[in-house]
Amino acid sequence: MMNMFFTGRLILPLGLFAFSSQLHARGGERPNVIFILADDYGWNDLSCMGSKYYETPNLDRLAKHGVKFTNAYAACQVSSPSRASIMTGKYTPRHGITDWIGEKSGEAWRTMERHNKLLPADYTWNLPAEEYTLAECLRDNGYTTFIAGKWHLGEKGSWPEDHGFEINKGGWTNGSPKGGYFVPYQNPKLSDGPAGENLSMRLSNETVDFMREHKKRNKKKPFFAYLSFYAVHGPIQTTQENWNYFRNKAEKAGIKENGFVVDRTLPVRQTQDNPVYAGLIKQMDDAIGVVLDAVEEMGLDENTLIVFTSDNGGVTSGDAYSSSLLPLRGGKGRQWEGGIRVPLLMQYPGCTAGVVCDVPVIGTDFYPTILDFAGLSAVPEQHRDGVSLMPVVRDGKTPDRSLFWHYPHYGNQGGEPSSIIRRGDWKLIYYYEDQRCELYNLAMDISESEPLNIQYPEKVRELKTLLDAWLIEVDAKLPVADSEYNPLKEAQVKLTWRTAVLQKQEKLRKQMLSPDWKPNKDWWGSMVTID
């Protein structure tokens, strides 16, 4: 693995990263933690990660004042498993949630009429009660725990308040915003605000209100605020003002004739020029700015860790076909880098501003990192698949480990049942349909354009052996052959994806960029949803 930290083009010597020895300054208070999680937000869907189209001044501010990780990963290419791994510190096969909760598996998969070769593995539909979550651990160590936004880790009885959160504003069963991004929200854990209120801003305001009330009532007690946006999950929505601004921006940059290519299964977006999605990002970034401003105004920046990341890669195919993550291949639901690599920003007292970290890290690391930052004892029997990132950013220590993923399912974004290992710059994907491996070197080919199996057969064997051992260790459930598999019917489905769906997406892209486009008469209720 790379053992490098740099700001701009300057490589900084290890140890230069001053980690404040005054974590318990201000009268020995434990530090606060604000964890901001976006939904389906891509690796380069923000300005500080290279986007020239989306505008994220507040996330850029966080990157400027903190640490930006370029090799950060979600624990899964879809939502629920990744979120469960953040809460538990475990890889997905250990907690059992390997697909987004609500998706069909086993023989029920046949009702999707995709006629696939395999039946996806069954999975757990509720975050197990025996898991000692990050929220429970912090609560038990004197923290007030708060969530605003998406949960998607089970039915009632397995909601945030059942797993350590004392205050819950908006977290429940659903993984997408049932009522959209404007009132009415149709959320049993979040009352409706005034007409025109935006969901992302509402969740930020709830978080700020919590911080103000907490400071007033519990001056010495720390808090854990989990701001979990529903944005930028579909259905994508924005205001007419935002749409018009980003439509004009796309036009000035030059609108390409074609915006999609078919990659193995579904059409994949190749351009960042979706004005509705850009407006949705702006709404989320504006809301993040409200929280960052409040942190500074209340003086909490002197004693608060702020983390921002995403639960999986951005949506390039399926759902709303929202974005392009080039040079990364694929997106949400897929096994390539676009599906699992995510943005990660961290700001904390004493960190060196504007640092870029290339060390590969993963969502299971947050649990031990936060405990380490808070000065709390580790719980290794719980967060067994994570390591603290504080030695990484403090001392430049690179963990000697492999990273793993297991997704024994078909994704509605084109993903295939597979397991993955990354070790150093090498990445191996194993496909369950045909027992095939793909080997890539991410330092040489970040786009995963050409497998290196023939050139490096010994590396394939090495990584496959490590992956097999890990699958046994975690008792991973595997997909099984479907006895009713019909290859002709499957071919017909894929032909439709490559022709009719491709044509539909190209048409919609042009319509959304047309000056007279209107999704419906009521922009507050405007929805863009695609089959």
Side-chain angles (χ1 to χ4, degrees):
M1 284 186 189
M2 299 179 66
N3 195 3
M4 180 188 300
F5 297 84
F6 57 92
T7 302
R9 296 182 180 178
L10 298 176
I11 298 176
L12 301 179
L14 299 181
L16 183 59
F17 289 81
F19 177 65
S20 174
S21 62
Q22 300 178 351
L23 285 182
H24 309 307
R26 300 173 59 185
E29 298 175 33
R30 288 202 184 276
N32 306 302
V33 178
I34 301 174
F35 194 100
I36 305 174
L37 185 64
D39 193 6
D40 295 357
Y41 195 45
W43 180 68
N44 57 1
D45 275 351
L46 54 169
S47 306
C48 63
M49 289 297 291
S51 177
K52 303 299 182 185
Y53 184 59
Y54 309 131
E55 297 181 9
T56 55
N58 293 298
L59 286 173
D60 298 348
R61 175 175 29 148
L62 191 58
K64 181 180 179 181
H65 294 149
V67 181
K68 178 173 69 175
F69 293 79
T70 61
N71 275 276
Y73 290 95
C76 186
Q77 50 266 60
V78 295
S79 175
S80 299
S82 176
R83 291 166 180 268
S85 291
I86 291 172
M87 283 292 118
T88 65
K90 292 180 179 178
Y91 281 126
T92 60
R94 291 197 201 273
H95 56 63
I97 303 174
T98 54
D99 204 355
W100 60 270
I101 293 176
E103 183 58 293
K104 293 179 172 61
S105 62
E107 293 186 359
W109 181 252
R110 292 179 184 141
T111 64
M112 301 294 288
E113 298 186 346
R114 297 186 188 177
H115 307 289
N116 297 118
K117 187 175 183 178
L118 304 177
L119 295 176
D122 289 329
Y123 65 95
T124 302
W125 279 48
N126 292 285
L127 183 63
E130 60 268 24
E131 296 289 349
Y132 188 50
T133 69
L134 173 60
E136 288 174 315
C137 184
L138 291 174
R139 179 201 61 195
D140 293 348
N141 282 277
Y143 277 73
T144 302
T145 54
F146 167 90
I147 179 176
K150 177 173 173 175
W151 179 241
H152 201 195
L153 289 177
E155 299 286 343
K156 190 172 184 179
S158 186
W159 283 0
E161 52 268 42
D162 303 301
H163 293 284
F165 287 97
E166 297 165 291
I167 304 170
N168 174 17
K169 299 290 184 178
W172 67 304
T173 304
N174 274 33
S176 59
K178 185 176 181 181
Y181 287 99
F182 299 93
V183 169
Y185 302 129
Q186 300 181 42
N187 185 323
K189 302 300 292 187
L190 190 69
S191 61
D192 287 336
E197 181 183 69
N198 173 261
L199 177 58
S200 296
M201 187 60 73
R202 169 65 178 278
L203 295 177
S204 283
N205 286 335
E206 291 283 359
T207 303
V208 171
D209 289 346
F210 160 73
M211 292 191 299
R212 293 191 191 282
E213 186 66 20
H214 182 274
K215 185 176 182 180
K216 184 191 307 181
R217 293 176 177 269
N218 306 283
K219 290 186 177 181
K220 292 187 179 295
K221 189 175 182 180
F223 66 78
F224 171 53
Y226 181 49
L227 173 52
S228 178
F229 288 108
Y230 284 94
V232 288
H233 194 288
I236 58 173
Q237 294 178 300
T238 191
T239 63
Q240 186 166 12
E241 179 183 8
N242 283 339
W243 166 78
N244 188 61
Y245 173 83
F246 285 104
R247 193 214 70 83
N248 291 339
K249 185 173 182 177
E251 186 174 62
K252 289 177 183 177
I255 297 174
K256 295 181 180 179
E257 180 61 27
N258 296 304
F260 293 88
V261 298
V262 174
D263 188 355
R264 194 174 290 173
T265 49
L266 287 174
V268 179
R269 195 179 190 100
Q270 303 293 293
T271 56
Q272 287 190 348
D273 60 2
N274 184 327
V276 176
Y277 183 67
L280 178 57
I281 289 175
K282 181 181 184 301
Q283 290 158 193
M284 181 180 70
D285 187 76
D286 288 346
I288 290 171
V290 168
V291 173
L292 297 182
D293 288 345
V295 168
E296 294 179 5
E297 175 197 334
M298 289 187 274
L300 298 176
D301 51 329
E302 301 175 11
N303 203 35
T304 300
L305 167 67
I306 304 175
V307 178
F308 171 84
T309 192
S310 177
D311 62 351
N312 48 249
V315 178
T316 62
S317 57
D319 299 350
Y321 293 80
S322 305
S323 189
S324 169
L325 303 179
L326 295 176
L328 302 187
R329 184 178 181 183
K332 176 186 177 181
R334 295 196 158 201
Q335 58 277 2
W336 298 301
E337 289 294 281
I340 56 178
R341 196 181 290 209
V342 292
L344 171 59
L345 309 173
M346 286 176 55
Q347 178 184 317
Y348 54 89
C351 71
T352 303
V355 168
V356 178
C357 176
D358 285 327
V359 175
V361 301
I362 194 166
T364 55
D365 295 334
F366 293 123
Y367 196 140
T369 298
I370 290 171
L371 295 189
D372 192 1
F373 179 83
L376 299 174
S377 297
V379 191
E381 66 277 12
Q382 174 60 53
H383 52 73
R384 56 195 303 182
D385 295 315
V387 301
S388 173
L389 300 182
M390 298 320 300
V392 175
V393 296
R394 181 185 63 219
D395 304 320
K397 292 183 178 179
T398 302
D400 181 17
R401 60 172 176 168
S402 302
L403 302 180
F404 297 96
W405 296 262
H406 180 59
Y407 188 64
H409 308 280
Y410 292 96
N412 59 8
Q413 302 85 14
E416 302 157 71
S418 58
S419 295
I420 306 168
I421 178 175
R422 174 173 176 172
R423 185 164 183 82
D425 292 325
W426 293 99
K427 176 181 177 182
L428 182 85
I429 306 172
Y430 175 75
Y431 293 90
Y432 288 98
E433 278 197 341
D434 53 8
Q435 296 79 53
R436 172 175 49 89
C437 292
E438 288 177 354
L439 176 71
Y440 299 102
N441 185 290
L442 298 175
M444 295 189 292
D445 180 18
I446 195 174
S447 299
E448 298 170 283
S449 59
E450 188 64 36
L452 299 173
N453 300 44
I454 295 176
Q455 297 92 324
Y456 299 94
E458 70 288 348
K459 184 60 69 173
V460 173
R461 287 192 291 270
E462 173 195 343
L463 294 182
K464 181 60 166 54
T465 298
L466 291 172
L467 180 59
D468 287 343
W470 176 78
L471 290 168
I472 292 172
E473 177 194 345
V474 299
D475 193 23
K477 293 182 179 179
L478 306 179
V480 298
D482 186 356
S483 60
E484 298 181 12
Y485 173 59
N486 186 322
L488 292 179
K489 289 185 177 181
E490 182 187 43
Q492 291 173 347
V493 171
K494 291 184 176 180
L495 179 61
T496 299
W497 289 348
R498 296 180 182 195
T499 55
V501 174
L502 175 62
Q503 294 167 7
K504 184 175 184 178
Q505 292 305 318
E506 291 285 14
K507 180 180 179 181
L508 177 63
R509 172 176 167 266
K510 289 292 184 65
Q511 288 176 339
M512 291 172 66
L513 288 165
S514 171
D516 57 357
W517 180 73
K518 290 182 175 60
N520 60 33
K521 295 180 180 180
D522 179 9
W523 264 88
W524 296 123
S526 65
M527 290 189 179
V528 180
T529 55
I530 303 301
D531 298 334

